[in-house]
Amino acid sequence: MSHVLEVRNVAKRFGGVTAVDDVSFCVDEGEILGIIGPNGSGKSTLFNCVLGQLRPTSGEVLVDGRSVTGMRPCDLNRLGVSRTFQLLQVFPQLSVRDNLILAAQEHQGTMLSRLFGRPDAGLTADAEQMISFFGMSHLAGEMAGGLSYGQQKLLDAAMAFMAGPRLVLLDEPAGGVNLTMLGHLKERLKTLNSERKATFVVIEHNMEFVMSLCTRVLVLAEGKILAEGKPAEVRSNPKVIEAYLGH
Amino acid sequence: MSAFLQLLISGLATGAIYAIVAVGFTLIWQTSQTINFAQGEFVMIPAFFVLAAMKLGGLPFWAACLVGLAVSVFVLGVMFKQAIVDPMLKHGVLPLVISTIALSLLLKESAKEFYSSQAQPFPSLVPSVDLNLFGAVISTQSLLVLGVAFVTVGGLNLLLNRTRFGRAMQATAQNRSVARILGVPVERMVLATFVINGLLVAIASILISPIYLVKFTNGETLGLAAFIAAIVGGFNQVRGAIVGGLVLGVVDNLSAAYISAQYRGAFPLFLLIAVILLKPEGLVGRREERTV
């Protein structure tokens, strides 16, 4: 069986700077892969290469064994690959409910159905379910722009799950989120992973969060894979400790 | 009292036209940062399309109106976006603004050069009859304008707030890159706002021309009025443009009658200054924050 995500020898150079240098790894169904590394180690660039926001200089990205290198993000989205953002990316003047409906509505229909089809594209029930799953029922009708930072992060995560994706890439989901909310987020992600068989790749700086959430961890330093393994192995790897503390 | 009612209704009718024009103005601003200083000329031109269709094409008035709407949508909507906005927006908002000012001059001079510099009569959609309502004399023209404006703005509101299309369009205006990632056809949504604007200005043109006659200079006052209406109501909201347009029409009419007809042109500007000083986000607008 093919891997849900396979990254083959991906490199990305910006002029003379090599941000990602010949990185290869696989993610299998049901895994939660954490990617950690010091600032500037190429984590976000790698993400952007996988998600089609950047075209890799060389190498290949495969989803379910099919090459998706350089595919547009919206087409990847239709293939069941979605993402959350390091910096908040919600629609501030739409309600929480409308944000969620929007996140899934473009997967169906034509221009005519946009005009004359059901206004909610039959997604209100899904949206409500997602809202209550993330414990935001009291916020459903609120404008997303009025939510707290942590709540917007939750909404961002919820939007990534609306279209029923198989693979979700989360870019620093824990950044700036308080401890209570963080515990809530982690538990929700674990539930989605076990109940919906969703596969995750998570970029995160919060070690505690990564170590307790992920099944496998990849350490990136200066654009290369430095170490890979179970959270506990990676944590005690001297090379990893040096990369974080040595410079 | 009856005089007041009369002034109020005719003011609302003028204001409704300002509102339609201002709504189009704010829509294309929201989706593509285009401040269209040719918007007034956009209202002046479609009446010429209709007249040309009648004179040159020999069409009856209603058919000419349909032709006028279609040509406006194509020329002032699609072509405006493809030929002017897309190439200029790459260079920034200011070059685009200057291009729209140039376009306004071009449209004005073309209308004068290729049609006529004389004011042309324009057929009315309804026979002009004065109705008596509680002692006030109300023209059928005013009622027609109010009715059509109400239906137009109402329809637009339904489109924006009650359809998937509208949600996608709002998403495009609020966060273009994420909308694109989620599969919203952003380019088509932006084009759609230009098409809607082309339709709105054509409707305004057909409504206002029987009252003001068709003249190449008509755009000057209308463009300014729509701009003021958008700012007074709130630049970043469709309902702001509606409120701004109606307020402006009424203030204009009442101040001319009760304060000074001579200074008529000044009162909308006083209103503009007051709003900018006291409530810069507009009467119903929302504050906009920008990171530099």
Side-chain angles (χ1 to χ4, degrees), chain B residues 41 49 89 105 129 136 161-162 168 171 191 236 253-254 261 282 285 288:
Chain B
E41 278 64 38
F49 292 155
L89 197 54
L105 294 173
V129 180
N161 296 314
R162 295 275 180 276
L191 182 61
N236 44 25
N253 233 9
L254 292 184
E288 199 158 308

Side-chain angles (χ1 to χ4, degrees), chain B:
Chain B
M1 185 58 209
S2 61
F4 176 78
L5 187 66
Q6 199 170 313
L7 288 167
L8 184 70
I9 291 185
S10 64
L12 281 175
T14 318
I17 291 173
Y18 295 162
I20 293 178
V21 183
V23 164
F25 191 83
T26 55
L27 265 185
I28 58 174
W29 155 253
Q30 284 177 43
T31 54
S32 66
Q33 291 75 53
T34 307
I35 300 177
N36 181 19
F37 278 113
Q39 186 79 344
E41 278 64 38
F42 275 31
V43 183
M44 175 269 293
I45 285 285
F48 282 100
F49 292 155
V50 175
L51 288 181
M54 287 168 73
K55 285 241 172 70
L56 305 176
L59 295 173
F61 178 55
W62 64 268
C65 281
L66 292 182
V67 170
L69 286 175
V71 174
S72 299
V73 163
F74 182 69
V75 175
L76 305 177
V78 180
M79 274 176 62
F80 173 52
K81 176 177 186 287
Q82 313 284 29
I84 294 172
V85 175
D86 286 349
M88 291 313 288
L89 197 54
K90 288 191 205 110
H91 302 288
V93 172
L94 199 58
L96 176 55
V97 165
I98 294 168
S99 308
T100 66
I101 294 173
L103 179 65
S104 79
L105 294 173
L106 178 73
L107 291 175
K108 196 158 61 179
E109 295 306 316
S110 306
K112 185 169 77 174
E113 198 59 36
F114 294 113
Y115 205 90
S116 167
S117 61
Q118 302 300 311
Q120 307 286 319
F122 192 84
S124 168
L125 292 165
V126 288
S128 193
V129 180
D130 286 340
L131 303 173
N132 203 316
L133 191 75
F134 308 115
V137 182
I138 313 286
S139 80
T140 45
Q141 288 284 358
S142 295
L143 292 179
L144 174 80
V145 168
L146 276 174
V148 173
F150 187 78
V151 171
T152 305
V153 171
L156 187 65
N157 249 318
L158 284 181
L159 178 74
L160 288 178
N161 296 314
R162 295 275 180 276
T163 63
R164 277 172 55 199
F165 178 86
R167 191 181 295 113
M169 190 173 265
Q170 289 190 53
T172 302
Q174 289 172 29
N175 196 333
R176 193 185 272 225
S177 56
V178 178
R180 184 175 283 129
I181 289 172
L182 293 174
V184 176
V186 168
E187 301 310 321
R188 273 156 81 190
M189 287 297 153
V190 174
L191 182 61
T193 55
F194 281 84
V195 165
I196 292 172
N197 185 48
L199 204 58
L200 290 175
V201 291
I203 290 171
S205 189
I206 291 170
L207 287 178
I208 205 164
S209 294
I211 306 168
Y212 290 160
L213 302 181
V214 182
K215 193 152 196 279
F216 70 97
T217 50
N218 276 357
E220 293 164 8
T221 41
L222 272 169
L224 186 64
F227 189 54
I228 295 176
I231 292 175
V232 166
F235 220 90
N236 44 25
Q237 300 263 317
V238 165
R239 68 193 152 103
I242 299 167
V243 171
L246 293 176
V247 167
L248 194 67
V250 171
V251 164
D252 185 35
N253 233 9
L254 292 184
S255 59
Y258 291 114
I259 307 176
S260 160
Q262 230 167 352
Y263 282 90
R264 176 173 206 158
F267 291 106
L269 297 171
F270 288 150
L271 181 67
L272 175 68
I273 293 169
V275 166
I276 288 177
L277 282 178
L278 304 174
K279 209 169 178 309
E281 71 272 24
L283 296 176
V284 297
R286 92 188 106 81
R287 278 171 197 275
E288 199 158 308
E289 284 157 20
R290 250 176 218 189
T291 43
V292 181

